[in-house]
Amino acid sequence: MSKVHITFEVDKKRFDSGLVSRYQEPAPELFHITSKRGADATGFYRGERFIVQKGSKFAVTTTPKCPKRYLRFREELLLAGKFAPLGKQYLVLEDIEFDSPLLAMGVAIGGWAKGAHDWKKI
């Protein structure tokens, strides 16, 4: 925790709060996934949700058997400006929240995913 000294004014009277401890959230445990088609993504859990970090890269291509919900989600994210084409990859422009690591993986690699175990701890 870091210490912060706060001074504030109410009705032209100055008050000094003294030293206040400011809570800093611990860094999340990071996970990483790659694919042959170009995915190179990093993510972490936030409660029950899985967050893929800004700067990650998604595969541009998808497999022929890619589930339709993954395709729809990818299309929605692209139209919303959450990622943009970068050569043979999509660059993630802001953190993206997913309901599960399985959905995050399927969207990132552009295909069917075996399970959350494919996200490797960094």
Side-chain angles (χ1 to χ4, degrees), residues 31-87:
F31 297 85
H32 187 251
I33 191 167
T34 58
S35 76
K36 292 177 184 176
R37 284 191 314 285
D40 185 6
T42 304
F44 60 92
Y45 286 94
R46 182 183 297 147
E48 298 292 318
R49 314 281 284 176
F50 192 80
I51 311 300
V52 173
Q53 290 185 303
K54 173 182 177 179
S56 293
K57 295 173 186 78
F58 289 178
V60 168
T61 60
T62 58
T63 64
K65 293 184 180 181
C66 184
K68 289 181 183 180
R69 74 182 194 138
Y70 295 170
L71 294 172
R72 278 193 306 270
F73 204 88
R74 287 167 61 94
E75 184 178 336
E76 289 171 14
L77 292 171
L78 184 59
L79 292 173
K82 304 267 183 175
F83 60 79
L86 177 70

